[in-house]
Amino acid sequence: IPAEPLFRSMLQQLSWIKVEDRLPKEKSSVFFIVQRKDFKGYYVGLYNGNGCWESDWRIFLPESPLGKVTYWMSIPDFDMNP
């Protein structure tokens, strides 16, 4: 596999995306950031659709008092087999 296209693909997969700009596909595994006034948390979890984000320990809904999901990132696909 040529290195340049692979590197470009990995960079695209590793970009933080604003929730306001675009949402992941439903049932996608993602990294996401939750922001509160005094706290920023980084989570690995699932986007369930309709503004519902789920991690191992918490579920974040659109109007959740736990914080607002502000950014997300796809979990990279490291499968090197075509």
Side-chain angles (χ1 to χ4, degrees):
I1 298 175
E4 186 176 331
L6 179 63
F7 181 70
R8 195 175 316 124
S9 172
M10 287 177 66
L11 280 179
Q12 288 174 341
Q13 290 184 54
L14 294 174
S15 298
W16 287 106
I17 301 165
K18 286 184 179 182
V19 168
E20 297 167 351
D21 294 343
R22 183 167 49 111
L23 291 171
K25 293 178 186 172
E26 288 187 21
K27 305 299 180 193
S28 293
S29 296
V30 294
F31 300 115
F32 60 95
I33 298 174
V34 175
Q35 184 72 49
R36 288 194 323 217
K37 280 190 224 176
D38 58 343
F39 173 81
K40 182 189 286 187
Y42 296 85
Y43 296 86
V44 177
L46 185 70
Y47 178 67
N48 286 314
N50 296 324
C52 180
W53 305 79
E54 181 180 339
S55 72
D56 284 343
W57 303 104
R58 292 201 166 103
I59 294 176
F60 297 93
L61 301 173
E63 302 300 321
S64 175
L66 296 173
K68 180 179 179 181
V69 178
T70 54
Y71 289 86
W72 65 276
M73 178 190 307
S74 294
I75 295 176
D77 179 10
F78 294 106
D79 184 9
M80 301 298 282
N81 298 321

